[in-house]
Amino acid sequence: MCLAIPALITEKKSDNLATAEILGVTREVALDLTPQAGVGDFVLVHAGFAIEVVDADYAKETIELVKQLEDVAV
């Protein structure tokens, strides 16, 4: 099973790269599969690639679910 995490694009760079914030951590992600993504967009990230642009409400709801899993795992 694959898991993709919502991330907020904070900076778009050259060569289809972007900086994204994922659960408080900043990462570089590839936009090869989502070249339409821009600063302020939420994307699903899997293996360093933004694989889909998603609605902000969906992204925030998913982030809250991921945070709840963290509490259960402790």
Side-chain angles (χ1 to χ4, degrees), residues 1-43:
M1 174 176 32
C2 297
L3 179 63
I5 302 293
L8 176 65
I9 302 294
T10 58
E11 178 185 0
K12 197 164 179 178
K13 302 178 179 183
S14 61
D15 297 331
N16 285 333
L17 296 175
T19 301
E21 187 269 320
I22 305 170
L23 297 170
V25 178
T26 302
R27 294 275 190 236
E28 187 172 82
V29 298
L31 300 178
D32 296 320
L33 303 173
T34 55
Q36 74 278 19
V39 173
D41 285 338
F42 281 93
V43 293

